[in-house]
């Protein structure tokens, strides 16, 4: 009777140990993998969300920022097509807004190539660089052209998106770093 | 009893596989959905299409800005392609609300529909997919607001194509 109890006791302990091992060695790692997978997908979405719109802050006032942007665009061979004064339109309609304007720009040869070969990308042309006032800062924002990569299969165009992105980042950095 | 416990393993693996595939499928579906622009062939001539877009925009309660050629400002007036017209429009009330939700929205403003006549004579209209584009801002409120903009675009295009 005593022997049986001891055997039962050890059997029970063994079962508990196996169950414990199963949980620790298999189920917990699986749960961990599922959690990490979920977390990595979400963090990727968040980081790509931040990268989709390229932005930079500067302490320059609005007019100085606009002037510097025009200079930087010209240095890169971009032509400013026009400046849309959204703030004026909103004010005329009775809305109170800070300075908020969009600079339209591009290179004619690139615009012509895109509109001829890739008509579906036309809504993004000319490029738009937004300038607006936020608190004491002036903010510059522009769409990252690399978001368009999934829409095309042409590697040369994909490389062009990357080149434009580098140029845009450079413009934003130079404007925000320029001291007067 | 051991066998019972061991049965959990394949089930757990299958469950894990299912979960990871479900997430992957969701991401792929979203990526497939993310065509940021819409292109429509017009059954009308270039001039008729431009006129129909202007009228449809007005009848949908938007204000129309002066039309611009796509290349206007990028080249001189003599070499600008006059068969590429941008019809720009805005509803200031909606714009004001949208800017409160997402101040960076200006990078895709204003609302516009581009009408292009191709070399083969075909006329095409192209415009942004507001709902897909709203996702790039990673702003849930904007995605909801973009549904209304998308409906506006659809109404305008339906009217043009009538």
């Amino acid at each position: 009777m005593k022997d049986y109890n001891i055997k039962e006791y050890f059997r029970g302990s063994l079962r508990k140990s196996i169950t414990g091992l199963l949980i620790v060695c298999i189920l917990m790692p699986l749960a961990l993998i599922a959690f990490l997978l979920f977390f990595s997908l979400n963090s990727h979405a968040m980081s790509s969300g931040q990268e989709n719109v390229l932005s930079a802050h500067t302490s320059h006032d609005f007019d100085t920022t606009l002037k510097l942007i025009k200079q930087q665009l010209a240095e890169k061979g971009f032509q400013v097509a026009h400046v849309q004064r959204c703030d004026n339109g909103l004010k005329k309609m009775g809305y109170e807004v800070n300075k908020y304007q969009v600079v339209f720009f591009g290179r004619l040869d690139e615009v012509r190539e895109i509109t001829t070969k890739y008509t579906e990308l036309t809504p993004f042309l000319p490029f738009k660089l937004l300038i607006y006032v936020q608190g004491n800062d002036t903010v510059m924002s522009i769409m990252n052209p690399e978001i368009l990569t999934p829409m095309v299969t042409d590697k040369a165009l994909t490389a062009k998106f990357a080149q434009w992105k580098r140029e845009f980042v450079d413009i934003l950095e130079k404007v925000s770093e320029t001291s007067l | 009893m051991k066998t019972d416990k061991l049965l959990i393993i394949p089930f757990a693996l299958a469950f894990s596989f299912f979960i990871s595939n479900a997430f992957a499928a969701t991401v792929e579906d979203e990526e497939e959905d993310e065509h940021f622009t819409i292109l429509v062939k017009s059954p009308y001539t270039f001039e008729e299409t431009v006129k129909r877009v202007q009228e449809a925009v007005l009848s949908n309660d938007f204000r129309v800005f002066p039309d611009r050629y796509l290349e206007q400002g990028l080249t001189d007036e003599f070499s600008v392609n006059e068969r590429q017209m941008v019809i720009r429009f805005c509803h200031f009330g909606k714009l004001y609300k949208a800017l409160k939700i997402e101040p960076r929205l200006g990078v895709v403003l204003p609302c516009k529909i581009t009408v292009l006549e191709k070399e083969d004579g075909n006329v095409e209209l192209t415009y942004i997919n507001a709902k897909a584009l709203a996702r790039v801002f990673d702003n849930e409120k904007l995605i909801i607001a973009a549904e209304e903009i998308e409906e506006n675009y659809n109404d305008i295009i339906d009217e043009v194509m009538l």
Side-chain angles (χ1 to χ4, degrees):
Chain A
M1 191 67 177
K2 215 175 185 179
D3 281 351
Y4 175 78
N5 281 342
I6 289 168
K7 275 180 190 171
E8 280 298 299
Y9 173 77
F10 279 110
R11 268 185 202 160
S13 299
L14 193 64
R15 272 184 212 144
K16 280 178 189 167
S17 304
I18 289 167
T19 311
L21 272 171
L22 278 171
I23 291 169
V24 172
C25 297
I26 296 164
L27 293 178
M28 280 181 71
L30 284 174
L32 187 66
I33 288 166
F35 172 77
L36 288 173
L37 184 71
F38 177 77
F39 180 75
S40 68
L41 286 171
N42 276 297
S43 61
H44 170 72
M46 278 188 279
S47 63
S48 62
Q50 287 162 358
E51 184 74 353
N52 291 337
V53 180
L54 309 167
S55 293
H57 287 241
T58 173
S59 54
H60 298 314
D61 63 42
F62 184 90
D63 292 332
T64 307
T65 306
L66 179 59
K67 191 177 150 196
L68 289 171
I69 280 173
K70 286 180 175 175
Q71 279 175 9
Q72 284 301 322
L73 289 170
E75 276 184 28
K76 298 255 182 238
F78 288 113
Q79 176 76 35
V80 174
H82 72 288
V83 178
Q84 177 110 30
R85 293 175 174 83
C86 303
D87 46 2
N88 281 2
L90 283 160
K91 277 180 187 167
K92 277 180 193 168
M93 298 303 291
Y95 296 101
E96 270 302 311
V97 284
N98 279 329
K99 288 260 191 184
Y100 194 96
Q101 299 184 6
V102 182
V103 180
F104 288 74
F105 68 97
R107 295 187 187 105
L108 183 64
D109 56 334
E110 290 174 339
V111 169
R112 283 190 171 161
E113 190 185 352
I114 299 281
T115 51
T116 309
K117 291 185 187 170
Y118 315 98
T119 312
E120 68 276 15
L121 299 180
T122 306
F124 293 99
L125 297 171
F127 296 122
K128 303 172 194 82
L129 200 160
L130 165 70
I131 316 170
Y132 64 102
V133 172
Q134 194 173 57
N136 293 325
D137 282 356
T138 303
V139 185
M140 302 162 283
S141 290
I142 188 164
M143 188 67 81
N144 180 353
E146 285 187 323
I147 65 158
L148 304 175
T149 304
M151 287 178 66
V152 298
T153 50
D154 184 344
K155 286 196 175 164
L157 186 58
T158 307
K160 191 58 113 175
F161 291 153
Q163 180 207 318
W164 284 331
K165 185 200 169 183
R166 283 195 301 275
E167 289 176 321
F168 296 168
V169 168
D170 196 43
I171 288 166
L172 297 185
E173 282 177 359
K174 282 194 173 143
V175 170
S176 52
E177 285 165 10
T178 303
S179 54
L180 300 170
Chain B
M1 193 65 182
K2 261 186 190 175
T3 321
D4 290 348
K5 296 285 183 196
L6 287 170
L7 277 173
I8 296 171
I9 299 169
F11 281 117
L13 283 169
F15 178 70
S16 169
F17 183 73
F18 169 77
I19 293 287
S20 52
N21 272 316
F23 277 123
T26 310
V27 170
E28 273 172 22
D29 287 349
E30 274 183 16
E31 280 172 3
E32 273 176 22
D33 220 22
E34 274 182 9
H35 241 258
F36 295 124
T37 61
I38 296 168
L39 191 144
V40 182
K41 283 195 195 303
S42 171
Y44 303 101
T45 64
F46 178 77
E47 286 78 9
E48 283 169 343
T49 308
V50 168
K51 193 169 175 249
R52 291 182 77 88
V53 174
Q54 290 165 334
E55 287 170 355
V57 165
L58 282 172
S59 73
N60 277 275
D61 207 21
F62 283 89
R63 292 177 80 91
V64 184
F65 296 125
D67 297 335
R68 284 183 70 91
Y69 298 118
L70 183 71
E71 295 176 359
Q72 199 170 327
L74 298 177
T75 184
D76 61 75
E77 58 184 302
F78 303 107
S79 52
V80 73
N81 186 342
E82 295 183 355
R83 310 306 280 179
Q84 296 178 337
M85 184 72 86
V86 185
I87 293 110
R88 304 170 302 147
F89 50 97
C90 186
H91 187 294
F92 286 99
K94 288 178 185 174
L95 172 64
Y96 184 73
K97 278 185 200 165
L99 291 180
K100 291 279 174 201
I101 297 170
E102 179 52 71
R104 299 171 300 165
L105 193 65
V107 298
V108 292
L109 289 176
C111 291
K112 61 177 185 173
I113 294 174
T114 308
V115 182
L116 304 107
E117 186 180 72
K118 307 292 282 185
E119 281 179 9
D120 57 10
N122 280 326
V123 178
E124 293 175 345
L125 295 101
T126 177
Y127 53 99
I128 58 157
N129 179 348
K131 212 170 150 188
L133 206 52
R135 284 199 213 108
V136 308
F137 291 91
D138 200 23
N139 181 333
E140 273 303 316
K141 285 182 184 171
L142 185 67
I143 294 168
I144 295 161
E147 282 175 16
E148 193 186 341
I149 303 288
E150 191 188 29
E151 276 174 32
N152 292 144
Y153 269 109
N154 290 341
D155 291 344
I156 291 167
I157 295 299
D158 285 348
E159 223 171 296
V160 172
M161 292 299 158
L162 269 178

